[in-house]
Amino acid sequence: MRLDAKDFIRGLCGSAAVLAAVAGTTFVAAAAGTDYTPSLDFIPTATFATGNDEQALPGPGNNPFQSGDIKFNIIFTQPLAKGLNLQLQQNRTSGYDVTIGSAIYPGGKLIIPGSINDVFEEARVNWAASKNIGVTIGDNYRWRECCPNAGQVGNETPTTWHGQYLQLALTSPAIKALNGTSFALTGHWTYNLWHNSPAYQAFEAANGIRVNGGTARFPSWYGATATVPINSGVVIYGFYGVGAFDYFDNSVAPYYYDLFDAGLIKTVNKYISFVASIDTLSQQHLENNNPFLLPNALHRAYFATGLDIHIGK
């Protein structure tokens, strides 16, 4: 997932690669050429909560309100053959380190989700089947470091997930009449084995909910991206996605969202790119209205700025 402008413009889903680096959402950006030199993208990113009702929970052990918090994403890429590469990625920032908007339950009860601090790790193989078709197969794992910590002693219902996925990206040729603008469609299908904890399975049984421990589910999401070159060093993009972006183990069902992200990329040279991104997310009320019942919804908005430092060819 390189962020230099040349790969960005000719890539299978370049703006989505930026979204992966800054917003934490994973997309395909397949390797090109026959150079087998590995590379590393080190991406320090600052996240700012920008909604009107985000609050951080007080007290020790809770994440602070996100206002310029800097964390790092890292992507290692190993070309395997022409159009084929292996990538290892760890995300700690933006969509995984964020303050969530408040909700009002029926009866006036205020719910403050607060701020979270998650770690997302993934291994994937990207294949450029053709100039405009990209296929990715990956394995990912996510866990919550803060509020509550998934590894915390005594935490019987940790916030985690583990899944394998297939992703297909279809990208249009650059449209000369629109200054080289291109459009992409992405489909993402996950196999997720429900690793419910014994405590959560006991909760399901006690509340008449079907016990789901050890069973499989198949969440998916779909997205559309527009990539607009402004000049040789600046590109803007917009992404809209819908579907199951979160599928935590100790949850009755996946979380379904509408997600919109827009941003700008400024390429300084082949080793350094600057990214600015605005992201909004709102819960859809599907499958048991997870995590909040109507008329309430999980939602969040943030502004992120990132610097991609590319080491390698």
Side-chain angles (χ1 to χ4, degrees):
M1 289 192 184
R2 298 178 58 178
L3 301 185
D4 62 75
K6 294 187 295 297
D7 284 348
F8 179 87
I9 294 169
R10 72 169 181 259
L12 296 170
C13 196
S15 62
V18 175
L19 202 58
V22 176
T25 307
T26 304
F27 295 83
V28 65
T34 56
D35 190 337
Y36 298 102
T37 304
S39 63
L40 183 70
D41 286 271
F42 182 67
I43 310 164
T45 304
T47 304
F48 303 81
T50 56
N52 60 8
D53 61 355
E54 288 101 337
Q55 299 182 55
L57 293 171
N62 289 318
N63 243 13
F65 183 81
Q66 301 307 309
S67 181
D69 184 34
I70 298 177
K71 286 188 171 64
F72 305 91
N73 293 343
I74 300 173
I75 305 170
F76 170 80
T77 302
Q78 175 61 62
L80 302 175
K82 184 176 181 180
L84 186 72
N85 68 22
L86 167 69
Q87 291 186 313
L88 305 176
Q89 179 169 349
Q90 183 183 85
N91 285 358
R92 289 178 172 268
T93 188
S94 296
Y96 299 105
D97 184 48
V98 69
T99 303
I100 300 170
S102 302
I104 305 293
Y105 264 31
K109 183 180 179 182
L110 176 66
I111 302 296
I112 303 175
S115 299
I116 65 170
N117 179 8
D118 290 3
V119 179
F120 179 90
E121 293 184 338
E122 180 169 290
R124 60 182 172 267
V125 174
N126 303 310
W127 175 45
S130 72
K131 182 178 179 181
N132 303 106
I133 300 175
V135 180
T136 298
I137 298 175
D139 179 275
N140 54 43
Y141 181 62
R142 175 175 174 176
W143 73 94
R144 185 146 298 167
E145 282 197 320
C146 175
C147 322
N149 186 331
Q152 186 176 21
V153 176
N155 183 1
E156 296 183 332
T157 55
T159 301
T160 57
W161 84 46
H162 185 196
Q164 296 77 43
Y165 72 86
L166 169 67
Q167 181 169 290
L168 176 66
L170 306 175
T171 303
S172 73
I175 303 172
K176 290 185 178 180
L178 298 177
N179 198 40
T181 295
S182 62
F183 299 92
L185 298 175
T186 305
H188 186 104
W189 302 272
T190 298
Y191 169 81
N192 171 238
L193 190 62
W194 234 325
H195 296 278
N196 284 356
S197 66
Y200 191 78
Q201 291 184 45
F203 166 81
E204 291 177 312
N207 288 272
I209 303 171
R210 183 171 65 90
V211 177
N212 296 305
T215 60
R217 54 186 174 175
F218 302 90
S220 62
W221 60 258
Y222 304 89
T225 307
T227 302
V228 185
I230 301 301
N231 56 42
S232 59
V234 178
V235 177
I236 61 174
Y237 70 90
F239 169 81
Y240 173 73
V242 60
F245 287 95
D246 287 345
Y247 37 94
F248 297 109
D249 290 323
N250 292 298
S251 174
V252 131
Y255 294 1
Y256 291 82
Y257 305 128
D258 290 292
L259 187 154
F260 177 74
D261 187 276
L264 175 147
I265 306 163
K266 167 61 179 177
T267 299
V268 179
N269 54 46
K270 66 181 294 185
Y271 300 110
I272 296 176
S273 297
F274 172 80
V275 182
S277 171
I278 296 174
D279 179 280
T280 64
L281 174 150
S282 297
Q283 172 193 340
Q284 294 183 327
H285 289 88
L286 302 174
E287 289 199 40
N288 300 297
N289 287 307
N290 254 6
F292 296 136
L293 299 175
L294 278 169
N296 312 289
L298 185 150
H299 59 96
R300 58 121 169 98
Y302 65 78
F303 171 68
T305 58
L307 186 67
D308 185 336
I309 303 168
H310 180 76
I311 303 171
K313 292 186 177 181

